C-alpha cells in the first residue's frame, strides 16, 4: 500500500490533475474541497502528507493548517501549500503556522513528485 496524500483544493479539475500525477507515481490520494472537508477526512484514516490550497471557501488553507497542528494525531503530518499565493506575508504566515513547503501554481508534475518524495518518501 502506498503512502496516502490528502489533496485539498476547491477546484475539482486541479484536484483531478494532482490525483492522476500522484496515483501514477504509486501514492494513494484522498480529496477534499475545503478545509472543513479536509479535517473530516483526517479523521477517517492515516494521511502521510497534505497538499493544500490557501484560498478556499468555508475554511482557507492557513486556518486548516493551524487546526491540523492542534490535533495530537496530526501534529506532525507535513502540509505543503500548493497555491497561486506567492506573497511574502502569506508565506511567512504559512511558515509561522507550521507549513512544510510552498509550491506555486501552475505546477510541473515532475516538481510536484520531487517535493512529495522529499517530504514522505517514495
Amino acid at each position: 500500500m502506498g503512502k496516502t496524500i490528502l489533496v485539498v483544493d476547491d477546484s475539482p479539475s486541479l484536484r483531478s490533475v494532482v490525483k492522476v500525477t500522484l496515483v501514477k507515481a504509486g501514492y494513494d490520494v484522498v480529496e477534499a474541497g475545503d478545509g472543513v472537508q479536509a479535517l473530516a477526512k483526517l479523521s477517517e484514516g492515516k494521511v502521510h502528507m497534505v497538499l493544500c490550497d490557501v484560498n478556499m471557501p468555508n475554511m482557507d488553507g492557513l486556518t486548516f493548517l493551524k487546526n491540523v497542528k492542534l490535533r495530537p494525531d496530526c501534529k506532525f503530518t507535513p502540509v505543503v501549500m500548493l497555491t497561486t499565493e506567492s506573497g511574502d506575508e502569506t508565506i511567512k504566515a504559512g511558515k509561522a503556522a507550521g507549513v512544510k513547503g510552498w509550491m506555486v501554481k501552475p505546477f510541473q508534475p515532475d516538481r510536484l513528485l520531487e517535493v512529495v518524495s522529499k517530504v514522505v518518501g517514495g
Side-chain angles (χ1 to χ4, degrees):
M1 184 168 106
K3 303 247 171 128
T4 301
I5 313 294
L6 172 59
V7 178
V8 189
D9 199 297
D10 58 324
S11 166
S13 59
L14 187 279
R15 288 196 315 267
S16 179
V17 170
V18 172
K19 181 176 183 173
V20 167
T21 301
L22 293 172
V23 168
K24 281 184 180 176
Y27 296 100
D28 295 323
V29 175
V30 178
E31 297 179 55
D34 61 38
V36 174
Q37 289 178 9
L39 287 174
K41 297 283 183 182
L42 287 173
S43 299
E44 294 174 8
K46 174 71 176 154
V47 169
H48 297 91
M49 176 184 171
V50 179
L51 283 168
C52 185
D53 191 10
V54 171
N55 299 311
M56 298 179 291
N58 303 317
M59 180 186 291
D60 67 81
L62 293 177
T63 303
F64 165 75
L65 173 62
K66 291 172 188 171
N67 277 277
V68 168
K69 296 303 175 185
L70 291 174
R71 292 174 53 148
D73 60 330
C74 300
K75 187 175 10 180
F76 299 110
T77 302
V79 177
V80 173
M81 293 296 175
L82 178 59
T83 179
T84 57
E85 292 290 331
S86 60
D88 289 343
E89 290 303 312
T90 307
I91 293 171
K92 273 188 204 170
K95 286 184 178 173
V99 74
K100 183 79 171 173
W102 201 278
M103 291 185 66
V104 178
K105 297 176 197 171
F107 68 94
Q108 296 297 320
D110 290 347
R111 177 76 181 123
L112 175 70
L113 293 175
E114 184 181 313
V115 169
V116 171
S117 180
K118 280 183 183 172
V119 173
V120 297

